[in-house]
Amino acid sequence: MSEKDIDLEKEMPEETACDNSCDCGAPDKPEQEFAEAVDESAEGEAAAAVDELQKWRDMAMRTAAEYDNYRKRCVKDREEFTRYATRSLLEELLPVVDNFEMGMMMAGQDTSSMIYIGMSMVQKQLNDFMAAQGVEAISTEVGQMFDHNIHEAIQSEPSDKPEGTIIRILRRGYNLKGRLLRPVNVVVAAAPSADGAAE
């Protein structure tokens, strides 16, 4: 064997030796290394993060529900405002209607007069306007029992009628779209006095 062959044999182990960059001797399962890296503190942080996420999710759902309720309430309030926006105007108009009706009673003494005919035409227009606004007269008759929901007792008088019976109507009442606009002013029968009962 020549010196040249001996030199080649010495060089071969150096050429086939592993350097630091190869994967020789590394574990075949990298997930084992990952599992070892995750300790109890990391698991605690993960649980805390899940709890925090749930808390924010619940808060978001509550906020969405509250906003939906607020939106519905705003829509309802806007509808209510639109529905009864003319209430104050109609309340101021009612005394005019009362006076006009008294004038019609006076003019009704001569139904053939031009004044009565003209006033009748105006009254029809006025009634049509009130009906278009949703105003309805409250039906009340003498002999009917007093109802505090729609009647207002201005005074009471002794009567042979049962106590609380309406004996006179002083002023008509009205509803606005199902809600009381003005109560009917009435006089009701009073309970018989003790002196009257003794007599």
Side-chain angles (χ1 to χ4, degrees):
M1 183 179 286
S2 65
E3 287 182 12
K4 190 174 183 182
D5 292 333
I6 293 169
D7 290 340
L8 284 173
E9 287 179 2
K10 288 180 181 177
E11 290 176 3
M12 286 198 55
E14 292 178 4
E15 290 175 358
T16 58
C18 277
D19 60 5
N20 293 333
S21 64
C22 73
D23 293 329
C24 295
D28 294 336
K29 298 180 179 178
E31 62 270 12
Q32 290 178 351
E33 287 185 359
F34 177 76
E36 291 172 1
V38 176
D39 57 4
E40 291 182 2
S41 63
E43 290 177 4
E45 290 177 6
V50 170
D51 291 343
E52 187 75 8
L53 176 63
Q54 187 63 38
K55 183 183 80 172
W56 285 105
R57 182 179 295 158
D58 292 344
M59 186 179 295
M61 291 178 68
R62 280 196 305 271
T63 303
E66 289 173 1
Y67 173 74
D68 190 51
N69 291 337
Y70 171 76
R71 183 184 58 79
K72 290 177 181 176
R73 192 165 54 251
C74 285
V75 169
K76 183 179 179 182
D77 290 346
R78 187 165 54 249
E79 289 175 353
E80 284 282 311
F81 175 78
T82 303
R83 187 177 177 86
Y84 299 104
T86 58
R87 182 183 180 94
S88 60
L89 171 64
L90 293 169
E91 285 176 338
E92 293 182 15
L93 184 60
L94 290 180
V96 177
V97 173
D98 294 337
N99 293 332
F100 193 86
E101 287 179 350
M102 285 192 292
M104 283 292 294
M105 289 174 64
M106 296 299 295
Q109 294 175 359
D110 183 8
T111 56
S112 62
S113 69
M114 294 303 295
I115 294 175
Y116 180 81
I117 294 171
M119 288 182 69
S120 296
M121 294 173 64
V122 174
Q123 186 180 39
K124 184 181 182 310
Q125 289 181 326
L126 193 56
N127 290 339
D128 290 344
F129 170 76
M130 298 282 279
Q133 298 303 312
V135 178
E136 297 175 344
I138 299 172
S139 177
T140 303
E141 296 178 0
V142 172
Q144 184 176 333
M145 291 302 294
F146 177 81
D147 181 356
H148 69 276
N149 293 312
I150 57 174
H151 300 142
E152 181 180 5
I154 301 302
Q155 65 186 63
S156 60
E157 294 179 358
S159 172
D160 57 351
K161 303 287 186 184
E163 182 183 5
T165 302
I166 296 173
I167 57 177
R168 195 158 62 254
I169 298 170
L170 301 179
R171 189 180 70 174
R172 296 175 70 183
Y174 295 90
N175 284 327
L176 172 60
K177 297 177 181 177
R179 183 180 292 182
L180 184 65
L181 180 63
R182 186 180 77 179
V184 185
N185 289 355
V186 296
V187 178
V188 296
S193 63
D195 295 338
E199 293 175 1

